[in-house]
Amino acid sequence: MSRKYNFSAGPAALPAEVLEQARDEMLDWHGQGLSIMEMSHRSDAFVSVAEQAEQDLRDLMSIPDNYRVLFLQGGATSQFAMVPLNLLGDKTSADYINTGIWSKKGIAEARRYGYVRIAGSTESEQFTRVPTQDELELDPNAAYVHYTPNETIGGVEYNYIPDTGSVPLVADMSSSILSREIDVSRFGLIYAGAQKNIGPAGLTVVIVREDLLGKAAAATPAMFDYQVHAGADSMNNTPPTFGWYLAGLVFKWLKRQGGVAAIEAVNRRKAAKLYDYIDSSSFYANPIAPDCRSWMNVPFTLANAGLDGMFLEQAEAAGLLNLQGHRSVGGMRASLYNAVPEAAVDALIEFMQTFAQQHA
Ligand SMILES: *Cc1c(COP(=O)(O)O)cnc(C)c1O
């Protein structure tokens, strides 16, 4: 068996150690004679797995006690609707910051439920940076402020947490959760689809401050009501048990790496190496303002787009997978999530150097 280096934006690389453990436990979980996928979500065995995963995530992110952690389905895209349905309450509008494709999708969905005020946007600059705190025009009467800390497609990331005063801050952290330390108490709600930095697709993690629960619009489907899920410990119906279990293995793995502070240092180094190389080369380019560059998703272009196909073909032959940029932007994108080892970045840079020499 040879595992290649996987730069996929999502579903993305998982730690080999985690996959090996899941394999070893697949047919017979802890001597129970069946797999974790085949047991009741209400069994003592699964409930212990579920509770441990939540505790490990709480430890990793230092989640305060007045926050609930929910293990849901429907992806981040369902959260685009759940957030306004649950948080608008008796307010009439919410503030959204527009920094790219994922922000726009959140905005479009929220418009189905209420008035969306754009509190900041860098669209006129092709999303090559995010707004500064000073540029935000926040409405103190907004129900909440929604933003996208890391734009997975554009490769633009905030290096600060917006200060929204007493208005709850909501973050779509799908592609940056657990990549660096954050102060959870600055947020009203954090959500993330699991398939980038947490585990397999099919699981969505929501971290929500307790006082924001219980205000869902009357017609909200029960499955879209955070209060319903919080009241049932995320077992209002059958939860995504395998994803929850695997996320738990990833959380344990992250703890073994030294936790979020330790992986943050690795992530910072991985990204710096790749950006430094791109900037030093006249063959490759990245358009994002240096202080807004994503640590997780690094888009880059070749001087001659006619070589894109050959680049991808030769990269794949060299064991470097899934470097093709998003279909909406073209070029390349290397996603450097937690589970992508530093050696993968070294191998990518070496390949890029060789390719540039051959085609400059
Ligand atoms: C991947 C992604 C989404 C979409 O997630 P789904 O789980 O496919 O719904 C939304 N927002 C961001 C920032 C993402 O990276």
Side-chain angles (χ1 to χ4, degrees):
M1 182 198 70
S2 74
R3 297 240 329 143
K4 299 179 180 176
Y5 290 132
N6 179 11
F7 298 95
S8 172
L14 287 162
E17 269 177 48
V18 164
L19 296 174
E20 283 163 359
Q21 185 178 349
R23 175 199 62 198
D24 293 346
E25 296 178 344
M26 184 69 77
L27 296 182
D28 180 6
W29 185 86
H30 293 208
Q32 303 261 327
L34 74 174
S35 86
I36 198 85
M37 276 181 284
E38 301 169 291
M39 57 177 75
S40 165
H41 53 294
R42 305 199 189 278
S43 62
D44 290 347
F46 185 79
V47 169
S48 74
V49 165
E51 288 177 351
Q52 189 63 51
E54 175 175 341
Q55 189 56 53
D56 287 332
L57 182 62
R58 284 183 174 279
D59 296 346
L60 285 164
M61 294 181 72
S62 304
I63 299 173
D65 289 342
N66 63 324
Y67 285 74
R68 297 298 305 265
V69 179
L70 309 177
F71 291 82
L72 308 180
Q73 305 184 53
T77 303
S78 292
Q79 296 306 310
F80 294 161
M82 285 178 76
V83 166
L85 279 168
N86 283 270
L87 302 192
L88 274 170
D90 50 15
K91 304 268 191 179
T92 51
S93 82
D95 278 358
Y96 276 70
I97 307 175
N98 181 15
T99 50
I101 290 175
W102 288 116
S103 298
K104 279 169 166 287
K105 291 198 181 209
I107 289 165
E109 185 69 9
R111 283 192 169 131
R112 296 160 60 95
Y113 305 104
Y115 178 69
V116 171
R117 222 182 127 267
I118 302 300
S121 173
T122 47
E123 186 158 19
S124 63
E125 294 164 66
Q126 288 75 51
F127 301 122
T128 49
R129 64 178 187 93
V130 301
T132 63
Q133 175 75 45
D134 286 347
E135 289 171 329
L136 299 179
E137 292 172 18
L138 300 169
D139 172 7
N141 290 314
Y144 59 88
V145 179
H146 180 282
Y147 85 121
T148 312
N150 181 63
E151 287 281 357
T152 321
I153 295 170
V156 63
E157 182 167 13
Y158 288 71
N159 60 16
Y160 72 100
I161 297 173
D163 181 355
T164 56
S166 59
V167 178
L169 178 62
V170 176
D172 173 2
M173 229 174 258
S174 294
S175 53
S176 56
I177 192 167
L178 294 169
S179 67
R180 61 171 83 189
E181 288 193 301
I182 54 148
D183 176 359
V184 173
S185 74
R186 299 276 306 275
F187 297 85
L189 188 147
I190 291 167
Y191 63 88
Q195 68 272 22
K196 279 88 185 230
N197 243 350
I198 292 179
L203 170 71
T204 313
V205 171
V206 174
I207 302 166
V208 56
R209 215 174 60 207
E210 264 165 1
D211 62 285
L212 298 175
L213 297 172
K215 299 193 293 187
T220 304
M223 282 299 290
F224 268 41
D225 186 335
Y226 294 130
Q227 175 77 69
V228 168
H229 291 292
D233 293 327
S234 304
M235 294 198 189
N236 179 57
N237 72 328
T238 313
T241 53
F242 187 75
W244 196 334
Y245 153 79
L246 209 82
L249 299 188
V250 171
F251 299 152
K252 285 276 187 234
W253 171 84
L254 197 46
K255 281 185 153 181
R256 290 198 299 276
Q257 309 310 300
V260 178
I263 208 83
E264 170 174 350
V266 178
N267 287 334
R268 182 193 295 275
R269 220 166 41 228
K270 280 161 33 186
K273 269 185 189 176
L274 185 50
Y275 286 117
D276 284 352
Y277 171 64
I278 290 170
D279 288 346
S280 74
S281 140
S282 52
F283 192 82
Y284 302 102
N286 168 281
I288 307 301
D291 64 340
C292 300
R293 283 172 165 177
S294 169
W295 292 4
M296 293 287 102
N297 311 97
V298 183
F300 61 91
T301 52
L302 276 54
N304 173 1
L307 294 171
D308 284 3
M310 189 189 291
F311 180 93
L312 288 165
E313 217 168 89
Q314 293 185 6
E316 194 174 322
L320 308 170
L321 305 184
N322 296 315
L323 286 163
Q324 184 153 27
H326 189 267
R327 59 187 187 278
S328 65
V329 290
M332 307 299 153
R333 173 176 48 169
S335 293
L336 312 181
Y337 299 120
N338 288 350
V340 174
E342 196 164 350
V345 179
D346 295 335
L348 173 60
I349 293 171
E350 205 181 299
F351 170 80
M352 289 169 71
Q353 281 170 330
T354 307
F355 190 87
Q357 277 159 13
Q358 286 166 354
H359 299 280

